Amino acid sequence: MSSGRATFLELFFDLAFVVALTRVSQRFAGLGDDTGWALVTGFGRTLLLFLALWLIWSHTAWITSRYEPEQPIIQAVVVGTMFASLIMAVTLPRAMEERALPFAVAYLMVMVVRPLVVAIALRGHPRRLVPFRLVVWALASAPLWLAGALGPDHLRLPLWVVALAVDYLAWTLGWPLPWVGVAKVGRWRIAGTHLADRHQQMFLIALGESILVIGVVFSGADYSPERAAAFAVAFATSALLWRIYFYRAGLLLTEAFNRAGMPGRLGAVSERTHLLIVLSVLVTAVGYELVIDHPFGQPRPGWLLFLVGGPMLFLVARVRLQYEIFGRVSHSHLIGLVALLLCTPALARGAPMVGLSVVAAVLALVALLDALRRWGQPTEISASPIGGGTSDVGDSEA
């Protein structure tokens, strides 16, 4: 089992996801002029590609938390996964079009070949059954991925939706097989500190991608005081997202894992929460790009999906994180959600810059309420209601 913090190799691996998340943001940003059904389908296509990438990253984080990442075989697995992830990243802008096949092949190489390598490396160890489970389920969804890539364009989205649903369902159920049973990730013995590090690092990577968007868009646009103001408000919004995430709950994520009797159970829940957090940051970053380009342009209701939808999703995920760490719900985040919801109809008729400013003001209010609530009080100790109990040491696949 992994015994320490995240390694430099894993940080190197994350560089591929810096590229990947940038490409996801670009696809989202390309929807800025779409409305109605075109916006919905375009968002759904990009979301599917993001979820495929997330499954690759998440599986890798669990592998390096479950096994010693300094071992040569695990390092080879991580480097190989990085190369495949980079292929997915560079093909992602046209992955639903003419580059569907290399995207799908790179994805399947990770999902099928990687667990086979791990299983061979484990030889006679009982834990080899888990990667074999992954192979069987990956082979079950592989025909759908390949049919979607090679078949007619209009069938690609539904086929890939079913294929990805199979992969996520298998992950959720523990890859059940007849006569073998299941291998629930919540029962795995993992290095909780390591997995907490990985979740925090991925959030910072997403936040860094939003900063990259701010800088690139502003440097490439003609200078004007309005764009400069949008640039400043966008940066302040990212800083507030960082503050809200790490204040108390995000900062104590590692401690919560250390205190958990079954860190695998907490890790499974935290992984879904951080999926929402990373997605929310990417969606919010698209709003930055739209506003910096057209700070006082014509109101476009579709832009609210990014301007307001991203921050709202972030607050929903942050409420989940608060519960996972402390076993309670944050009232300040609920206030922020209600405020954004109430402001949305009015923002649909206002300039984009007004919408971004209101979002920043609401997030600032949430951060202020968080600080006031704990002013002068001792630092809280994590009291997670998730991950209680002890690992099932009798489970040979734990």
Side-chain angles (χ1 to χ4, degrees):
M1 185 177 72
S2 176
S3 59
R5 311 299 291 262
T7 63
F8 291 117
L9 175 61
E10 291 167 279
L11 297 178
F12 177 56
F13 166 77
D14 285 344
L15 294 178
F17 280 84
V18 173
V19 179
L21 296 184
T22 300
R23 296 298 179 265
V24 171
S25 287
Q26 288 176 346
R27 278 195 68 106
F28 276 134
L31 305 175
D33 295 327
D34 292 341
T35 57
W37 184 244
L39 177 61
V40 173
T41 56
F43 189 92
R45 287 169 180 266
T46 306
L47 178 61
L48 182 145
L49 299 175
F50 167 75
L51 291 176
L53 284 166
W54 181 266
L55 198 61
I56 296 296
W57 182 88
S58 181
H59 279 196
T60 306
W62 279 87
I63 287 173
T64 52
S65 295
R66 182 168 164 81
Y67 306 109
E68 178 52 61
E70 298 292 349
Q71 291 295 321
I73 187 64
I74 300 301
Q75 291 182 337
V77 164
V78 172
V79 172
T81 303
M82 179 182 179
F83 181 69
S85 301
L86 194 58
I87 294 175
M88 293 174 67
V90 298
T91 58
L92 191 143
R94 302 293 296 172
M96 298 300 294
E97 291 80 24
E98 70 273 8
R99 294 186 176 181
L101 184 58
F103 182 90
V105 169
Y107 175 84
L108 291 175
M109 287 294 291
V110 176
M111 297 297 288
V112 176
V113 176
R114 181 175 65 181
L116 275 177
V117 172
V118 174
I120 293 171
L122 291 174
R123 295 184 180 88
H125 196 284
R127 284 191 182 183
R128 76 189 188 284
L129 293 177
V130 174
F132 274 129
R133 295 171 188 273
L134 271 68
V135 172
V136 172
W137 275 90
L139 289 174
S141 66
L144 295 171
W145 284 104
L146 294 175
L150 297 171
D153 290 350
H154 68 279
L155 292 179
R156 183 164 301 133
L157 181 60
L159 286 172
W160 280 10
V161 166
V162 175
L164 192 63
V166 170
D167 291 339
Y168 269 91
L169 182 64
W171 169 257
T172 302
L173 297 179
W175 304 278
L177 292 178
W179 302 292
V180 181
V182 300
K184 288 279 191 178
V185 295
R187 296 165 60 187
W188 288 1
R189 298 187 186 96
I190 62 166
T193 297
H194 182 276
L195 193 59
D197 276 358
R198 300 300 288 134
H199 287 164
Q200 291 171 333
Q201 287 163 1
M202 180 50 73
F203 167 70
L204 289 174
I205 288 171
L207 208 58
E209 195 280 332
S210 73
I211 298 296
L212 180 64
V213 167
I214 294 170
V216 170
V217 175
F218 183 57
S219 64
D222 294 334
Y223 175 81
S224 69
E226 293 81 7
R227 288 195 174 99
F231 170 80
V233 175
F235 175 79
T237 303
S238 284
L240 287 166
L241 294 178
W242 166 82
R243 165 68 176 177
I244 292 170
Y245 172 85
F246 278 107
Y247 186 78
R248 305 295 184 185
L251 194 63
L252 295 178
L253 183 63
T254 299
E255 179 186 317
F257 271 94
N258 288 336
R259 287 175 171 270
M262 296 182 67
R265 182 181 297 171
L266 178 58
V269 176
S270 177
E271 182 267 329
R272 292 189 288 270
T273 298
H274 282 81
L275 184 157
L276 296 177
I277 289 174
V278 170
L279 178 61
S280 70
V281 173
L282 295 180
V283 172
T284 303
V286 175
Y288 301 158
E289 181 173 350
L290 298 175
V291 175
I292 293 173
D293 273 342
H294 308 283
F296 289 97
Q298 287 294 111
R300 299 186 183 183
W303 287 13
L304 293 179
L305 177 64
F306 306 105
L307 280 177
V308 182
M312 287 184 68
L313 180 61
F314 175 81
L315 290 176
V316 169
R318 185 55 176 73
V319 168
R320 280 179 55 106
L321 184 63
Q322 188 84 6
Y323 178 78
E324 291 162 17
I325 304 302
F326 298 116
R328 59 175 172 79
V329 174
S330 171
H331 294 127
S332 60
H333 300 97
L334 294 179
I335 291 172
L337 276 170
V338 172
L340 288 176
L341 189 62
L342 294 177
C343 291
T344 299
L347 296 180
R349 298 188 295 271
M353 180 63 180
V354 174
L356 183 60
S357 299
V358 170
V359 167
V362 171
L363 293 177
L365 174 63
V366 171
L368 178 62
L369 292 176
D370 277 345
L372 291 176
R373 181 182 179 277
R374 301 299 305 174
W375 185 268
Q377 297 186 30
T379 302
E380 287 182 278
I381 298 176
S382 64
S384 176
I386 303 167
T390 58
S391 298
D392 185 359
V393 297
D395 182 4
S396 61
E397 294 190 44

